[in-house]
Amino acid sequence: MDLFKLSLLLFYVLSIAMLPSSFAQDSSQDYVDAHNKARAKVGVGPVQWDEKVANFARQYGNKHINDCEAVHSHGPFGENISYGFPDLSGTATVQEWVDEKQFYDLSTNTCAPYRVCGHYTQVVWRNSVRIGCAKVICTNNRGTLIICNYDPPGNIPGERPFSTDPLIRIAK
């Protein structure tokens, strides 16, 4: 192999290796696995990827590709949205939502004062069984939006995301 071809091959290999790691963490299976890991820890059944739900997330995200505003759609699904700069990975974002668990009080079904835990409770909401997520890289280097939608929606006032009865949770 001549030096030019070897240099070209090395360039391509290094180019692929230098891609941001977040690209490798944004597949539909990555989102499903990240959600199901958290759900299993509280005895909630798994979610499955749903292309209809994912299309909603993509279409809504694309509406904000120019302004990069992390505002809720108020659509037919439950929804978690995160904004990051310059880039977010899907799995890291789901983990940030799951990390809110520390602020959720299962006994009172409330968040700790001045804390957010609604992203977490949506991730583990027992009745949400279909998800669809999208990653939108905003124009003009404004950042990244990660949107996950849930069907049926969770975070219903007065309801708990999962059972407080350990026997019920273990049986699932």
Side-chain angles (χ1 to χ4, degrees):
M1 181 178 289
D2 67 24
L3 187 58
F4 175 75
K5 287 181 181 175
L6 184 59
S7 297
L8 193 59
L9 177 63
L10 185 58
F11 171 76
Y12 284 124
V13 169
L14 288 174
S15 295
I16 291 169
M18 299 294 286
L19 285 173
S21 63
S22 65
F23 287 130
Q25 300 170 352
D26 296 318
S27 75
S28 57
Q29 194 61 51
D30 291 330
Y31 286 106
V32 168
D33 290 347
H35 278 79
N36 286 340
K37 180 180 174 185
R39 294 168 68 86
K41 287 183 179 179
V42 294
V44 176
V47 293
Q48 294 181 352
W49 188 261
D50 185 282
E51 202 52 44
K52 176 183 164 189
V53 179
N55 281 335
F56 183 87
R58 280 190 289 275
Q59 288 174 4
Y60 184 69
N62 285 331
K63 287 182 181 179
H64 289 281
I65 199 165
N66 292 318
D67 61 30
C68 219
E69 289 186 21
V71 294
H72 286 282
S73 68
H74 303 288
F77 304 112
E79 189 168 68
N80 281 343
I81 299 178
S82 283
Y83 165 81
F85 182 83
D87 193 14
L88 293 174
S89 78
T91 55
T93 299
V94 175
Q95 186 58 53
E96 285 179 18
W97 297 335
V98 171
D99 288 345
E100 292 177 5
K101 179 179 184 175
Q102 64 185 314
F103 306 124
Y104 176 66
D105 185 337
L106 181 61
S107 65
T108 62
N109 193 33
T110 60
C111 298
Y114 310 107
R115 297 296 188 159
V116 174
C117 67
H119 300 103
Y120 167 70
T121 54
Q122 178 59 82
V123 167
V124 298
W125 197 266
R126 71 193 175 287
N127 294 334
S128 295
V129 294
R130 290 172 294 281
I131 66 166
C133 302
K135 177 177 181 173
V136 176
I137 298 173
C138 301
T139 57
N140 299 323
N141 198 29
R142 287 196 172 125
T144 304
L145 293 173
I146 299 284
I147 303 158
C148 286
N149 288 110
Y150 303 83
D151 187 38
N155 288 338
I156 298 168
E159 291 188 24
R160 294 178 186 278
F162 51 87
S163 176
T164 59
D165 184 339
L167 294 177
I168 292 173
R169 289 179 24 216
I170 292 170
K172 288 191 172 198

